[in-house]
Amino acid sequence: MPYLTIEVMALAMVLLQLCFFMKVVCHPFLFDRITQLPGQPQVGFQQYSGYVIVDNKEQRALFYYFAEAETDPASKPLVLWLNGGPGCSSLGVGAFSENGPFRPSGEVLVKNQHSWNREANMLYLETPIGVGFSYSTDTSSYETVNDKITARDNLVFLQKWFIKFPQYRNRSLFISGESYAGHYVPQLAELMLEFNKKHKLFNLKGIALGNPVLDFATDFNSRAEFFWSHGLISDTTYKMFTSVCNYSRYVNEYYRGSVSPICSRVMGQVSRETSRFVDKYDVTLDVCISSVLAQSNALSPKQVGDNIDVCVEDETVNYLNRQDVQKALHARLVGVRRWTVCSNILDYELLDLEIPTIAIVGRLIRAGIPVLVYSGDQDSVIPLTGSRTLVRGLAEKLGLKTSVPYRVWFGGQQVGGWTQVYGNILSFATIRGASHEAPFSQPERSLVLFKAFLEGRPLPEAF
C-alpha cells in the first residue's frame, strides 16, 4: 500500500495497537511487506519497509527497512542499524551499500554474499526526520533537530515498531552503527534502559560502534598523527597541526563561523599536502569518492582549497530515486524532489558534536551492556588511534582488567585485524584494510566481527 497519507498511517497504527492489546494476530505485511524489489534476485527471507509515526502533532514519520534473517529468523537476534552524518541514510548507506542483503548494479540488485542478515534480523532506520524518506509535514521541525530529539524519536520508533512486529518484542536486541552514530547509539541505549525501569520492553544485549565519534577532541586530534604516520603530511606540518592549530580547534571555529587566520593557514597547508585526490575515509583508495562516504561530510568541514571530487554516477542514489522502487518500498518524498544520501533540508545542531558520549558508554557498561568499538584501520576521519585511546581510558576508569590481550584475529585465512578485550564486556577491534565504512570496504571481515559480537565470543585466533 504505497504513498499512504499520515492519517491513514496513523489509523493503521491504531488498528495494530488494538490487535496487540486484544491479543489478536495482526500481520504487518498487510501494510509494510515488500513483495519484491525491482530487479531483485529471488531470496527466501521476508522484507518490510514503511513508516512509523513518532509525533502525531508535528506529523513526524520515520522510514525503516527491515530484512529478516536469511535462515530461521525466529531464532536470530534483532539488530537496529544507524548511520551517522548527522543526517545520512541508513537505507542508502547501511542497507544498500554496506551490510544489507542487496547492492544496486545498473538496473538490478545483486546479492551481498556477506550481508549481516545471514546472522540477524536487520532493521535499518532513516533518522532523524528529514533524512532519506523520513519526514515531517511541519518543515519548521527540521530547524530544531539535535541529539536529544533524535534519541527520543528513535525510542518512540522502537516502541511503536514492536507494536507492528510483536513477535520481536522479547527477542535479543543489539544496536549498531558508525560515525556520528557514536552519538545516536549510546544515547538511544541509555533511554532504553531508563524506559525499562518501568516497562521492561527492550531486551538490549549489546551495542557495536564503528569508527565512532565518542569524544570530539580525542577523535579529531588523532587525525594529525594518522596523517603523519601514513606519510600524508610533512614533519613541519605535523608540528603545526598539533601545536599551532589542531583539528578540533579548526572545526570548533568553523562551526561558529569564525575561522582564525592561523587555523586557515595550517589547514590550507594540511589540505595541500594530503591532496584532494586522496580519499580521507580510506587513505589507500585511489578511486573517486562515492556517496557511500557522504555521511562523514559533517565531520570534515570543507578545508581551504579542498574541493572533493564526487562520483557522477551513484547507483544507490539512482536506484532509490526510481518511482517503481519507491512504490515497492512504500516510500514517499515529502518536501523534496529527490532522495539523497545525506539530507540537505535538515538543520542539525552540529555543536552537539562537541559533547562527548564516551561517558554514556561507561554508564551502559556499568549497567551490564557489552560494548564493541571497532575501527577500519585506513580511516583518517575518525582514526583507530583515537578510538583505541578512548577505549583503554574507559577501561581504566571502570577498573576493567584485560581479559583478551592485544592480538591479531582472523577472517578466513588472512589476518582480519587486531583486538583487545577488557573485563569480557568492553572490546576494541580493528578491521584490516577497512575504510570509515568498514562493511563496504571489507565485507567478509566485517561479517566475521559482527558474528563474534552477536555470539559474545572472542574474535577468531586462527583460520
Side-chain angles (χ1 to χ4, degrees), residues 139-435:
T139 56
S140 66
S141 299
Y142 300 141
E143 301 171 4
T144 57
V145 181
N146 55 31
D147 281 1
K148 185 176 181 180
I149 290 172
T150 301
R152 183 198 66 198
D153 283 356
N154 292 345
L155 180 73
V156 174
F157 166 83
L158 276 177
Q159 292 173 253
K160 294 190 173 183
W161 189 87
F162 279 132
I163 295 173
K164 283 193 174 193
F165 295 86
Q167 67 270 35
Y168 284 95
R169 274 188 57 134
N170 297 314
R171 196 72 58 89
S172 293
L173 172 63
F174 297 83
I175 315 176
S176 186
E178 67 192 13
S179 195
Y180 198 78
H183 278 227
Y184 294 159
V185 173
Q187 291 169 338
L188 172 59
E190 187 169 47
L191 285 186
M192 291 164 66
L193 294 184
E194 189 66 28
F195 185 88
N196 269 0
K197 290 178 181 179
K198 293 183 178 180
H199 303 286
K200 302 291 184 183
L201 176 61
F202 304 110
N203 187 18
L204 184 61
K205 294 296 185 180
I207 66 171
L209 306 168
N211 292 84
V213 183
L214 296 172
D215 180 87
F216 170 73
T218 302
D219 286 322
F220 277 32
N221 292 336
S222 63
R223 182 177 298 201
E225 183 180 7
F226 191 95
F227 281 167
W228 177 79
S229 66
H230 285 68
L232 273 69
I233 58 175
S234 65
D235 293 354
T236 303
T237 300
Y238 173 69
K239 184 176 181 180
M240 289 193 301
F241 204 17
T242 53
S243 59
V244 177
C245 176
N246 60 30
Y247 195 64
S248 65
R249 174 182 168 183
Y250 167 72
V251 174
N252 180 293
E253 292 180 357
Y254 181 91
Y255 285 155
R256 289 166 174 78
S258 58
V259 178
S260 60
I262 187 63
C263 276
S264 182
R265 287 197 295 272
V266 171
M267 293 310 301
Q269 183 65 20
V270 169
S271 179
R272 283 189 291 274
E273 291 186 3
T274 56
S275 171
R276 66 187 181 92
F277 297 104
V278 172
D279 178 359
K280 304 305 186 295
Y281 310 112
D282 185 340
V283 297
T284 63
L285 199 64
D286 57 1
V287 297
C288 62
I289 302 172
S290 168
S291 65
V292 67
L293 306 175
Q295 71 169 318
S296 307
N297 284 351
L299 304 181
S300 301
K302 183 178 178 181
Q303 298 172 7
V304 177
D306 190 7
N307 296 313
I308 295 176
D309 177 28
V310 179
C311 298
V312 175
E313 295 294 327
D314 188 284
E315 299 193 82
T316 299
V317 173
N318 291 339
Y319 186 78
L320 291 177
N321 274 296
R322 286 168 48 178
Q323 288 190 358
D324 59 340
V325 172
Q326 292 175 8
K327 183 177 181 180
L329 286 168
H330 320 123
R332 55 199 301 241
L333 293 172
V334 178
V336 294
R337 292 186 176 183
R338 284 179 58 80
W339 180 95
T340 58
V341 174
C342 296
S343 175
N344 51 26
I345 60 172
L346 179 66
D347 184 14
Y348 204 90
E349 177 50 81
L350 291 177
L351 294 184
D352 280 0
L353 175 71
E354 299 178 8
I355 303 173
T357 55
I358 188 68
I360 301 177
V361 174
R363 293 196 290 272
L364 294 173
I365 291 170
R366 286 193 183 98
I369 304 299
V371 173
L372 165 66
V373 175
Y374 65 90
S375 296
D377 64 9
Q378 299 307 308
D379 176 31
S380 73
V381 176
I382 306 294
L384 71 94
T385 49
S387 298
R388 183 169 62 182
T389 298
L390 289 169
V391 170
R392 183 181 67 247
L394 181 60
E396 291 172 355
K397 184 176 181 180
L398 297 175
L400 300 175
K401 303 298 182 183
T402 297
S403 49
V404 175
Y406 198 82
R407 61 164 175 81
V408 298
W409 63 272
F410 284 83
Q413 295 184 329
Q414 300 291 333
V415 171
W418 283 258
T419 184
Q420 185 165 1
V421 182
Y422 303 90
N424 293 316
I425 195 169
L426 173 61
S427 305
F428 174 75
T430 66
I431 300 179
R432 189 164 71 96
S435 66

Side-chain angles (χ1 to χ4, degrees), residues 67-87:
E68 288 193 321
E70 289 187 358
T71 58
D72 197 15
S75 69
K76 300 286 175 63
L78 173 66
V79 175
L80 173 66
W81 173 269
L82 301 175
N83 277 96

